[in-house]
Amino acid sequence: MMSCSREDPNSRPTSQAPAEEEALGWEVSRDREVATIEKIACDRCRQRKTKCDRAKPCKQCVKTGVQCSYKSGHKAKEKRQRVLISSVYERRLEHISNKIDELGAIIGRLSDEHQGIPTRVRVQSPSSLQASSFVAQHQPLTQVEGIESNLFAHVTFATEALQTVLRSDPYFNEAAELTSALETLCTRVSIQKQQNEAMEASRPFPNVLPHGRTFKDLPIPSLGRIMACLRIAQESSPSQLYWPFEFGSLGDFTQYVIKACSPGPITDMELIIVHYVLYWLFTQCSIGAEDEAMKQDYETQAGICQGSLETILSNIPFHIDTNVDSIRALYMATTHCLHHGKPLAAWTFISRASLMCQALGFHSSHSLATERPDVVQHKMRLFWVVYVLEKAVALRLGRPSTIRDQDITVARLALDRKMASLAYNWLPDWIDVAALYGRLYDDLYCPKALAQPYSIRAARTVALASEFERMITARSEYYNQPNQWSSHMMNPSMSGFIVHANRAIEYSTLASIYRGFPSERSSSLSPCPQCITAARISLKETTACIAILLDRPTWPLSLDLWVNEVLLLASFMPFLILICNIIEAKDGLDLDPLRQLIDSLRLLAQYPRYSGCNRQLRIFEALYNVVSMYIEAKARTRPEEPIGAHFTHPDTETDPNDTIWLDPISLTGSSFPAQLSDGHPGTNILPLQSPMLNDLNTEIDPSTFQLESWIQQTY
């Protein structure tokens, strides 16, 4: 460290030192004065004890005309120059530079907030990136409070129907508690509707790209951590770590990583591939890690990749090149959005990928005739994964598919043991189920289908439901013995959750199919017996999912949003179907399973990880309170008529006039329906041939008009 002495207070610098020298200290200007100003007074002034200006000669000696001399042996201090900067100063300069970057990011964020732009991204210095992302990853995840409008339309319909029934009942005006419960329901529905509109009007992710930054400047894990995970993926067997075939080969992905981690150009689509696959890869490594510190580090790196990925998806340009990389990147973006409760954004991405596939001729055997066999196989795989995902998202949003099945001429892709996976729902019947999803909208719920006569709509519903029932029965075999068709094994808790979740969603879909069946009763609120039975099974499977989660499995935090989304889809439609049945039949038989579901959701929502369950829980509680109070009131006012006397429960007996019904299904003591008399597991539908269908009037009755109005509002 350079030594410093105090300057003469009367001395003044003649010129201002440069800014760079001022940053290093006031020693620089002091060094410039050493050559002409001595450190001590001259010999005569010291002897006479007079003030000396320490010049050579000094003013006192010049004035008196004597020789001015200084102490012998004293040499003027040589000017020193800084040739090298010590490591201490290097660290200080780096710290100052990082602070300047952070201050710039803060100023930019404050400017965005002042303009009303939501933001969650901050530019972090390399030294603080790892620690800050670790803290953010272990905080409770922010859940989406909105519910997509096509699902919430069912809530609106059920609420309006409930209001109509209650206000037409003479007892309603005398029951203050029932009136208060109905007002609470209407208030919650109104508030939730506002939240839904705000969610759908906002960006899919709130991440904002800082001004002056590019996508390549976004954080990414260190190359050493990335290569370590890639080595794990390379050395692991499919039973230990499943590499999805839609990602391409591991070697191809490594080339993307090299471009992302080295200087040079890289496209936005390639960056989406890199961040998504790394996010998935670090999550998979955290699942298999036994050391807690290593598990947390993997989750931290997954959080870094997730933040960068969502920043790109929120700021991606409108114009995208049509090529294989874009299709794969858009497919990955769709999967990420679905796992995080963004179905509208998912549809934007997957519909674009679907159109790109068709523009490049991936669906046409004629277009692929001149390609090499390995290229043809690669493009066919990519087309069919896009096809399956596009059909599922289209059905969820109640929209027509962008892919016409009659235009497809390439062979269907058969999954081998290495490609199939229960975790990713790549089951042997994956394309058949997706094709059925596409026909559900075209045959049942599109405007043209709704305008068809009663007999045609009923026949279509029966045919589609029967076909889907056979698929569910076949899938029971896959769930019971996954090792026979897949080499990808999982831990028991996650495998059990996925099986129950799949079955819950399958029976929820089946209930939705039967909900389109025109009712024989005068009111469109009453579902058919098959619809009620499917809804009950779906709720039981959902309750089984929640029971697994309440055991607090050690899953990565990155899976929490996906779990919350699964529980929303699995329980929403079945719950509302049973609510409508209770209103119409005035039968409280289904109140107990509804109560059990609400209690399970309430217990689960206490954990911050699963706070997203509050979305449906608030609505479910309000609906249940109104319906249960209404049933209790009817029981008190009409004690001579037992509740349910006029309603035939499809699980106990059937109406002799009904020839279309489901056999009893018992889930007691097993995760799956008990074996039926024919020896096959699962449901068993009697031949759906009824003389009633041949005698139907081709004109639509008033109840069908009400059902059509409900479907049009929903879809």
Side-chain angles (χ1 to χ4, degrees), residues 293-313:
M294 186 65 68
K295 181 186 291 289
Q296 292 180 355
D297 183 70
Y298 285 140
E299 292 181 8
T300 298
Q301 306 311 314
I304 294 174
C305 299
Q306 178 184 350
S308 298
L309 173 63
E310 293 177 356
T311 301
I312 299 176
L313 298 183

Side-chain angles (χ1 to χ4, degrees), residues 511 514 521 526-538 574 577-578 581 590 647-651 662:
Y514 277 124
R521 300 180 182 179
S526 177
C528 65
Q530 302 96 315
C531 179
I532 298 171
T533 302
R536 289 169 180 160
I537 298 174
S538 180
I577 287 174
L578 293 184
N581 180 61
D590 288 316
F647 177 69
T648 301
H649 195 288
D651 281 356
L662 293 177

Side-chain angles (χ1 to χ4, degrees), residues 640-712:
E640 70 282 357
E641 180 180 349
I643 296 179
H646 61 286
F647 177 69
T648 301
H649 195 288
D651 281 356
T652 56
E653 57 180 340
T654 58
D655 192 304
N657 296 324
D658 290 336
T659 57
I660 304 177
W661 54 282
L662 293 177
D663 274 352
I665 297 175
S666 174
L667 296 178
T668 306
S670 172
S671 301
F672 308 102
Q675 280 195 339
L676 302 180
S677 57
D678 59 359
H680 295 287
T683 58
N684 180 24
I685 299 206
L686 294 180
L688 297 178
Q689 303 287 338
S690 172
M692 175 189 67
L693 297 179
N694 299 325
D695 298 335
L696 291 176
N697 191 340
T698 57
E699 297 182 359
I700 301 178
D701 58 14
S703 66
T704 305
F705 275 122
Q706 298 177 21
L707 178 60
E708 178 179 349
S709 175
W710 165 73
I711 294 176
Q712 288 177 340

Side-chain angles (χ1 to χ4, degrees), residues 143 147-148 151 338-339 341 396 496-498 500-502 504-505 508 538-550 555 559-575 597-598 600-607 609-617 620:
Q143 304 294 340
I147 301 175
E148 56 203 80
L151 276 181
L338 289 177
H339 287 176
R396 174 172 175 177
F497 177 84
I498 292 176
H500 287 296
N502 282 357
I505 293 177
S508 176
S538 180
L539 287 189
K540 288 183 179 180
E541 297 290 348
T542 304
T543 305
C545 290
I546 298 176
I548 295 175
L549 296 176
L550 289 176
W555 295 349
L559 296 180
D560 293 343
L561 291 176
W562 169 72
V563 169
N564 282 279
E565 193 66 13
V566 167
L567 294 180
L568 174 66
L569 291 177
S571 62
F572 211 84
M573 278 301 300
F575 188 94
L597 177 65
I598 291 175
S600 299
L601 287 174
R602 187 182 292 112
L603 290 174
L604 193 62
Q606 294 177 1
Y607 299 102
R609 302 181 60 169
Y610 307 117
S611 59
C613 296
N614 285 313
R615 289 179 294 173
Q616 64 264 40
L617 181 59
F620 287 177

Side-chain angles (χ1 to χ4, degrees), residues 40-47 52 54-55 58 61 68-70:
I40 60 176
C42 67
D43 297 338
R44 185 175 182 275
C45 290
R46 281 192 295 107
Q47 185 179 5
C52 180
R54 294 180 292 172
C58 69
C61 292
C68 183
S69 63
Y70 286 83

Side-chain angles (χ1 to χ4, degrees), residues 92-106 125:
R92 289 183 178 179
L93 290 175
E94 182 181 2
H95 177 72
I96 292 173
S97 176
N98 293 336
K99 287 295 183 182
I100 292 174
D101 291 341
E102 290 183 356
L103 289 174
I106 293 174
S125 64

Side-chain angles (χ1 to χ4, degrees), residues 29-96:
S29 61
R30 172 79 182 110
D31 290 343
R32 291 192 174 187
E33 298 175 353
V34 169
T36 57
I37 299 178
E38 298 291 336
K39 289 184 62 175
I40 60 176
C42 67
D43 297 338
R44 185 175 182 275
C45 290
R46 281 192 295 107
Q47 185 179 5
R48 296 173 61 87
K49 298 189 183 297
T50 59
K51 188 174 183 180
C52 180
D53 61 356
R54 294 180 292 172
K56 191 176 183 180
C58 69
K59 290 182 180 182
Q60 294 292 341
C61 292
V62 172
K63 184 177 180 181
T64 57
V66 298
Q67 184 180 2
C68 183
S69 63
Y70 286 83
K71 186 177 181 180
S72 59
H74 173 72
K75 294 183 179 180
K77 184 179 180 181
E78 295 181 358
K79 181 179 180 181
R80 291 173 291 180
Q81 298 181 352
R82 295 189 55 168
V83 179
L84 297 176
I85 300 178
S86 65
S87 59
V88 176
Y89 275 88
E90 287 181 349
R91 288 194 296 269
R92 289 183 178 179
L93 290 175
E94 182 181 2
H95 177 72
I96 292 173

